[in-house]
Amino acid sequence: MIPILDSKRQYAQIGAEVEKAVCEVLRSGSYILGPNAKAFEQEMADFIGCKYTVGLNSGTDALHLALRALDIGAGDEVITVAFTFVATTEAIGIVGAKPVFVDIDPDTFNIDASKIEAAITPKTKAIIPVHLYGQPCDMDIIMNVAKRHNLHVIEDCCQAIGALYKGKMVGTFGDFGCLSFYPTKNLGGMGDGGLIMTSDEKLRDRVIALRNHGGAIRYHHDEIGVNSRLDEVQAAILRVKLPHIKEWNEKRREHAYYYNELFKDCADIQTPKELKDTYCVYHQYTVKIPNRDEVHKMLQENGIGAMLYYPIPLHLQKVHEYLGVGKGSLPYTEKDTEMVISLPMFPELTKEEQQTVAKTLIECIAKSKSKVSV
């Protein structure tokens, strides 16, 4: 079996250091908003290249509190994509706003920035570009549109820590950048965790208050907030991992290019495209193939842990039926969600495993096509 991700291999490398850090937290008696969380926020700000970060308990809360801090709520519209994890639009719904979907660029799977302007209405308050699979969006166009129409930008970087657009980290272009430390992420904790980044001090302070029951001073509450704090154990674990993230991301890129080489002579496999002047961190290595569902089943039967991210676009799911966005409204999104499949991708993946994955995928596609022809 070759899994989509093998976190045990990473733990084998850094386990002793992680255990030491966790035990120090346990002995300290300080478990919430302690020294590790504070230190991690500063280390992340230094790594990302922004002034401030705030640790939270999930990437979903990062998106949610970014919207809250910008006073986006009932009656407002937020432009984003339907080709993403539900947390992106879930956060919009939590604050009472309405997602407005724009189709994707079929090659990068990211929002087609050239189509954003046509989706703007008097109710539009923000754009949430999603740097899907670790590939940066076209931030020049997005920021230009936002500036012309006085719109906020919240970058969903939950799959893209360390990704670069023209030499600058994603998450530093808009009002906010949002990260997830779910265990499967490039920088993953051993439980839930998230973080928000900004260079606006007032926005930083608003998020700090919102994450702690709506008050900056203990037992003084100015508004309805939430309980969303990155705990000390997760912060300590992430502090151990953070110094490795550049190396881990670079290994993912090496694996992606090797996959590209293995698939170069197979016309049935469309490999990922990177925008010019970007540094993709390949949270997932996602290709487009024919007969996707049949091939996916065959891969699983052959011990290849391929996954579908994401098989049903959000505009066609029950949660968003109320929007009345029917089938056919986002043609590239709908087509790509029927073709994409993500292959095993993690820093410790071996070339031999990649060769097995590639060989098996090519064989499965050939078998699926022969079934169709019969």
Side-chain angles (χ1 to χ4, degrees), residues 18-82:
V18 167
E19 290 171 11
K20 180 175 180 289
V22 169
C23 286
E24 287 176 355
V25 171
L26 298 181
R27 286 192 293 266
S28 74
S30 178
Y31 308 135
I32 300 291
L33 297 180
N36 277 289
K38 186 175 182 180
F40 179 65
E41 288 175 343
Q42 184 58 57
E43 289 161 5
M44 280 298 300
D46 293 341
F47 172 72
I48 295 293
C50 62
K51 289 184 179 179
Y52 312 109
T53 72
V54 182
L56 304 167
N57 70 9
S58 69
T60 308
D61 267 4
L63 292 162
H64 168 208
L65 296 187
L67 290 161
R68 282 285 309 277
L70 295 169
D71 293 317
I72 294 169
D76 296 333
E77 293 178 353
V78 179
I79 293 172
T80 190
V81 288

Side-chain angles (χ1 to χ4, degrees), residues 116-117 120 125-127 139-154 173-175:
I116 292 174
E117 200 150 22
I120 296 171
K125 293 295 188 294
I127 306 167
M139 293 309 299
D140 279 351
I141 296 177
I142 292 169
M143 295 307 299
N144 284 338
V145 170
K147 186 176 181 179
R148 285 200 304 272
H149 294 273
N150 195 30
L151 301 177
H152 296 295
V153 174
I154 300 168
F173 292 86
D175 300 270

Side-chain angles (χ1 to χ4, degrees), residues 155-167:
E155 296 177 69
D156 184 338
C157 311
C158 290
Q159 298 184 1
I161 184 170
L164 302 172
Y165 178 82
K166 295 187 176 179

Side-chain angles (χ1 to χ4, degrees), residues 175-309:
D175 300 270
F176 285 114
C178 301
L179 286 172
S180 167
F181 301 123
Y182 188 74
T184 60
K185 296 296 192 284
N186 292 30
L187 180 64
M190 294 177 181
D192 278 315
L195 180 136
I196 207 164
M197 39 192 154
T198 185
S199 289
D200 187 308
E201 186 176 9
K202 289 184 178 179
L203 291 179
R204 185 276 310 266
D205 291 345
R206 180 87 186 277
V207 172
I208 287 175
L210 286 168
R211 77 169 175 180
N212 200 25
H213 302 286
I217 302 171
R218 195 171 189 181
Y219 303 129
H220 292 254
H221 309 281
D222 302 317
E223 60 182 319
I224 298 296
V226 297
N227 177 10
S228 180
R229 302 169 300 215
L230 181 67
D231 70 67
E232 278 291 284
V233 170
Q234 295 306 323
I237 292 167
L238 291 164
R239 290 187 71 199
V240 171
K241 290 189 171 189
L242 180 58
H244 299 277
I245 189 61
K246 286 186 177 180
E247 177 190 356
W248 290 342
N249 280 346
E250 189 58 31
K251 285 184 177 179
R252 286 173 178 270
R253 287 174 59 81
E254 290 172 8
H255 297 336
Y257 295 148
Y258 188 51
Y259 269 138
N260 290 348
E261 181 68 19
L262 292 170
F263 294 135
K264 69 178 182 180
D265 296 323
C266 185
D268 288 318
I269 300 174
Q270 183 174 322
T271 54
K273 301 290 193 301
E274 290 187 35
L275 283 178
K276 185 181 178 182
D277 296 325
T278 64
Y279 182 93
C280 177
V281 294
Y282 291 97
H283 172 61
Q284 301 294 343
Y285 181 85
T286 302
V287 297
K288 293 198 288 189
I289 60 171
N291 309 323
R292 193 275 312 279
D293 291 342
E294 177 67 20
V295 172
H296 182 220
K297 181 181 177 183
M298 293 167 70
L299 286 172
Q300 290 180 316
E301 291 170 350
N302 282 274
I304 305 299
M307 295 288 286
L308 308 182
Y309 304 110

